[in-house]
Amino acid sequence: MGRKVTVATCALNQWALDFEGNLQRILKSIEIAKHRGARYRLGPELEICGYGCWDHYYESDTLLHSLQVLAALLESPVTQDIICDVGMPVMHRNIRYNCRVIFLNRKILLIRPKMALANEGNYRELRWFTPWARSRQTEEYFLPRMLQDLTKQETVPFGDAVLSTRDTCIGSEVCEELWTPHSPHVDMGLDGVEIFTNASGSHHVLRKAHARVDLVTMATTKNGGIYLLANQKGCDGDRLYYDGCALIAMNGSIFAQGSQFSLDDVEVLTATLDLEDIRSYRAEISSRNLAVDFALSCHEDLLEPVSEPIEWKYHSPAEEISLGPACWLWDFLRRSRQAGFFLPLSGGVDSAATACLVYSMCRQVCEAVKCGNPEVLADVRTIVNQPSYTPQDPRELCGRVLTTCYMASENSSRETCDRARELAQQIGSHHIGFSIDPAVKALVGIFSLVTGTSPRFAVHGGSGRENLALQNVQVRGGGVSVRAPVPACTVTPAPVGQARVRMVIAYLFAQLSLWSRGAPGGLLVLGSANVDESLLGYLTKYDCSSADINPIGGISKTDLRAFVQLCMERFQLPALQSILAAPATAELEPLAHGRVSQTDEEDMGMTYAELSVYGRLRKVSKTGPYSMFCKLLNMWKDTCSPRQVADKVKRFFSKYSMNRHKMTTLTPAYHAESYSPDDNRFDLRPFLYNTRWPWQFRCIENQVLQLEGRPQQELDGVD
């Protein structure tokens, strides 16, 4: 009797509601698995409809089309003689479940509903699905007529069960169930299950890959057995990037590792493993199961080579940034059917990082084409509108798909203009530059004509309100210009300093710049506000916060600087050296003697490093003002007095709450950080606060007074 089994798992770039494309990718993965000798194929969670359907799960169409795709899979000759495990929503007794449908040779063996639903962070599965609560129990599911005609079955088992083949036993987990305190694989392993499967819909977060790998290896270290993990990959229609990392493990070791970031729509992993290695790792125990007259192994497999264990290779955070958002940009570009990107490039770190991500995308596209990926080649030819085009040089491709623009004002410095132009030349983007002063002066002129008043910058004697308003439209106040206008350079200012005039101009050029060059199509406007500035609201509403997508909106300033450093070294972009060395500034106030008079950290009243700490305490540690103060007392005891800590916490929460309304209009951003302030789904909070926080700040003040040995204040009657 054979004992060696070849099993397959995969990572698929599925797209929400793209039933035709999803079907073809599933069939391709099964075909590859069979070609490699696999007798079992596992796919990602909800792969038939795509994981990110969200409120479309409420629609009967989504359920209907998922059943139609399942019927097409059952009918296809590709799915014969291999156990196929696919994911889809299923309605059972008028209740929606997130299910695995396992079938063989046109017979459905089991429908296994998910038992623990993901409902934190970006996940809202309890909104659409009900968890299956009956452990180790099944019911009869009456198949729709379209499936009865195909399978010749009226009912199939629905519930929590495992499959027993002639040579082994297989049990399913679904994504979140692996992360629960008492995962199903524990009891399944004790019952004798030898092969565990996990279909995931897990998105990328910086520094998260090790957690997945550790959970799988620990599961099989404690219990023995083979563990297959499948995952979705790519952007399936929103802010998340699903990062693959499919894997096959056995007895605590990794035997196959899938890529975390790639442009391949279908990636299949296979491994040939010896069941006797599991049985010698643990005592063999009989199990309760559904019997299947099928074997994963062959009779004569003595000379069949088995897979060898490998060491998992991790990316550094800077490498993750260079790959993940770049792949997300590629998916967004090809699926939106636009002709490229338009990026205001300011000469600062944030917009430079965004430009580098597009350049990294171009490098990956060229590499994929070089390796013979026909889908990528077809997509890039569609994007550039040239049927015979074959990209070879990333710089040349970047010139076709990225337009960068430096929008100078009289507050811009020569240094930022030069830095932007040099970076554009080195990555190869099509670069333009001009002054926005005429447009800004026209807008302020309208205000002056109507009101009879002329607002001025603070350095010219204006009030704080005048100063802020002029920054937001980007114009100098006062009678005399501080310096001559910057000549048209060749790049645009980056996100954090883009004023409202720049936003309007950016969209105008994005729509018409290709037309002006005799080329078809429009461009997607890229934003580049980082996660720390978004958290604090250090941006102008409807300027840098208004773009089509933002690839760095979930990344901290600290991590962005590390990424830019990596690009400088790995991509040979020396222009980044001066960008990294320059102080971060929005250049929205007049220059002082021709030099920048305004820096971001001075404006914010806190450092970027401090902002990252506040962000993680607020979101990850779930602290309010008082508990944050208590934690920071110990964290910063060597550098700050209690009074200084209190002042910092009050300053952060005052500014954060004052600007929270800006989160409601943030550009959709790549989700990469656990403390993202994204108001859309991840960070649900009010946007109208009492910004004085009277009760909370009084609690902090009393703690400071107690530590200083002074009388405390009453909490009652706080105004």
Side-chain angles (χ1 to χ4, degrees), residues 526-587:
L526 295 180
S528 46
N530 63 61
V531 72
D532 298 321
E533 291 163 351
S534 296
L535 171 66
L536 193 66
Y538 184 65
L539 47 84
T540 299
K541 201 172 185 179
Y542 303 120
D543 73 316
C544 58
S545 61
S546 294
D548 291 313
I549 51 174
N550 179 1
I552 69 164
I555 304 173
S556 72
K557 189 78 163 189
T558 302
D559 284 337
L560 282 175
R561 292 184 67 86
F563 161 64
V564 171
Q565 180 73 34
L566 175 83
C567 292
M568 182 180 72
E569 298 166 358
R570 188 165 294 182
F571 300 162
Q572 286 86 51
L573 301 174
L576 295 174
Q577 186 168 2
S578 60
I579 290 173
L580 282 169
T585 175
E587 290 197 329

Side-chain angles (χ1 to χ4, degrees), residues 310-556:
I310 62 173
E311 183 176 346
W312 191 275
K313 295 181 175 65
Y314 293 98
H315 295 292
S316 69
E319 289 172 331
E320 288 186 66
I321 295 170
S322 74
L323 297 168
C327 291
W328 183 75
L329 284 173
W330 173 247
D331 278 347
F332 210 101
L333 179 60
R334 67 192 179 113
R335 287 174 170 169
S336 66
R337 296 187 168 274
Q338 297 301 301
F341 300 111
F342 184 90
L343 173 65
L345 191 62
S346 69
V349 168
D350 293 340
S351 59
T354 304
C356 288
L357 285 174
V358 178
Y359 183 63
S360 175
M361 181 200 81
C362 293
R363 290 172 60 93
Q364 291 185 68
V365 168
C366 289
E367 183 62 29
V369 170
K370 182 180 177 181
C371 293
N373 188 315
E375 290 86 6
V376 173
L377 180 59
D379 284 335
V380 76
R381 285 174 171 173
T382 299
I383 290 166
V384 302
N385 196 40
Q386 289 190 11
S388 61
Y389 174 68
T390 300
Q392 296 176 325
D393 177 13
R395 292 186 74 257
E396 188 272 337
L397 176 59
C398 194
R400 292 173 178 263
V401 300
L402 176 62
T403 297
T404 51
C405 172
Y406 186 88
M407 293 186 243
S409 79
E410 57 190 11
N411 300 324
S412 303
S413 66
R414 164 61 66 180
E415 289 79 10
T416 55
C417 178
D418 291 343
R419 289 196 293 266
R421 183 184 63 251
E422 289 168 9
L423 177 60
Q425 289 173 344
Q426 290 172 17
I427 65 174
S429 66
H430 177 78
H431 190 65
I432 55 179
F434 48 81
S435 172
I436 64 171
D437 285 337
V440 171
K441 289 175 181 176
L443 285 175
V444 177
I446 293 172
F447 179 84
S448 298
L449 181 65
V450 172
T451 65
T453 60
S454 296
R456 296 176 295 174
F457 277 111
V459 295
H460 299 137
S463 66
R465 182 170 292 277
E466 292 172 77
N467 197 65
L468 182 60
L470 289 173
Q471 288 187 48
N472 286 341
V473 293
Q474 184 63 82
V475 65
R476 92 181 148 82
V480 183
S481 172
V482 177
R483 55 185 291 284
V486 176
C489 278
T490 29
V491 194
T492 326
V496 62
Q498 260 176 327
R500 291 180 179 129
V501 167
R502 290 185 168 121
M503 184 271 289
V504 175
I505 293 174
Y507 273 95
L508 176 65
F509 274 79
Q511 290 178 307
L512 294 179
S513 61
L514 290 182
W515 168 81
S516 70
R517 286 143 55 188
L523 304 175
L524 293 166
V525 178
L526 295 180
S528 46
N530 63 61
V531 72
D532 298 321
E533 291 163 351
S534 296
L535 171 66
L536 193 66
Y538 184 65
L539 47 84
T540 299
K541 201 172 185 179
Y542 303 120
D543 73 316
C544 58
S545 61
S546 294
D548 291 313
I549 51 174
N550 179 1
I552 69 164
I555 304 173
S556 72

